[in-house]
Amino acid sequence: MSSNKKADTAVVALAGRRVDLPEAQVSRFPLVNVQEVGRRVREALCEVHAVAVVCSAACGADLVALEQAKRLGLRRRIVLPFAPERFRESSVVDRPGDWGPVYDQQVAATAAAGDLLVLGVAAGGDAAYAAANEAIVREAQALARTAQPDGPHRLIAMLVWEGLPRSEGDATARFRDLARRAGFEEQSISTLSTIPQQATGTNSSAPT
């Protein structure tokens, strides 16, 4: 049997867009699309036979994916660049939507399971999120090496975004490049494109 054989199951390292600010000039992840993007993420996780998801916990792609992983009973490992309270203020509750309670529940659950990694990066900005991206890749690789009868899990980089890198400071595009260099398979899930409006009265402010 080949030593390169891999199991059909996968560990997913994920990154993507936060929900748009109300005044956003370019639409990347409209709040109204949260429900549909959650459905797409769920389908993708099922299709690749995911057993674990590794990501950060910002509002938008991260928390949408973590909620879907929770519903599917998958292992969740969260990587934060700095303290959870600071991250909550800077990357969760500063955008539209009721993300705070979802974040709190996800952080508490992963901490209790030993799957919350806080890097303790002193600086903010690009350096902090670059460090988080690198740790997400490393943690996914570590989980994929978990012994399986059919070999290690496959490694998949899942990008939840509109597919158009910004000219500079694009953490999602940098995550994609990092995962490519590490040999991950790649899958993109659109946060835009032919997503119907929510029915009147539907709450689209947080993942379900």
Side-chain angles (χ1 to χ4, degrees):
M1 183 170 62
S2 170
S3 60
N4 294 324
K5 183 178 179 181
K6 292 185 179 181
D8 185 48
T9 49
V11 171
V12 172
L14 183 142
R17 299 303 189 203
R18 298 206 294 148
V19 291
D20 295 338
L21 289 166
E23 67 273 19
Q25 297 298 307
V26 177
S27 182
R28 299 184 186 278
F29 191 169
L31 182 65
V32 72
N33 290 359
V34 164
Q35 305 289 337
E36 174 62 16
V37 171
R39 183 190 66 77
R40 293 177 178 192
V41 170
R42 182 184 180 96
E43 287 185 354
L45 293 174
C46 291
E47 286 172 1
V48 302
H49 305 293
V51 297
V53 173
V54 185
C55 60
S56 195
C59 64
D62 293 341
L63 286 174
V64 167
L66 288 166
E67 284 295 286
Q68 296 305 319
K70 174 184 175 182
R71 288 171 171 77
L72 292 169
L74 309 183
R75 184 173 183 177
R76 293 159 283 153
R77 179 165 291 179
I78 291 177
V79 177
L80 299 181
F82 33 69
E85 297 80 9
R86 178 183 169 195
F87 188 86
R88 191 183 197 275
E89 293 302 314
S90 67
S91 300
V92 179
V93 298
D94 62 325
R95 298 278 174 115
D98 190 19
W99 300 98
V102 179
Y103 172 81
D104 294 340
Q105 292 161 12
Q106 289 287 345
V107 167
T110 51
D115 276 319
L116 175 65
L117 175 61
V118 179
L119 301 179
V121 177
D126 289 350
Y129 299 112
N133 278 344
E134 292 171 0
I136 289 168
V137 169
R138 288 197 306 271
E139 293 298 312
Q141 290 170 324
L143 289 181
R145 287 193 292 268
T146 303
Q148 296 291 312
D150 296 327
H153 301 295
R154 294 158 56 211
L155 281 164
I156 295 177
M158 195 169 285
L159 309 172
V160 184
W161 66 334
E162 81 294 355
L164 298 173
R166 292 190 287 266
S167 58
E168 59 182 36
D170 194 323
T172 303
R174 290 175 178 173
F175 171 82
R176 176 199 60 188
D177 296 342
L178 188 65
R180 282 178 176 176
R181 290 195 296 271
F184 284 53
E185 300 174 48
E186 185 178 315
Q187 184 168 357
S188 287
I189 297 171
S190 179
T191 50
L192 301 175
S193 72
T194 64
I195 298 179
Q197 282 291 113
Q198 298 288 330
T200 302
T202 299
N203 177 12
S204 62
S205 64
T208 62

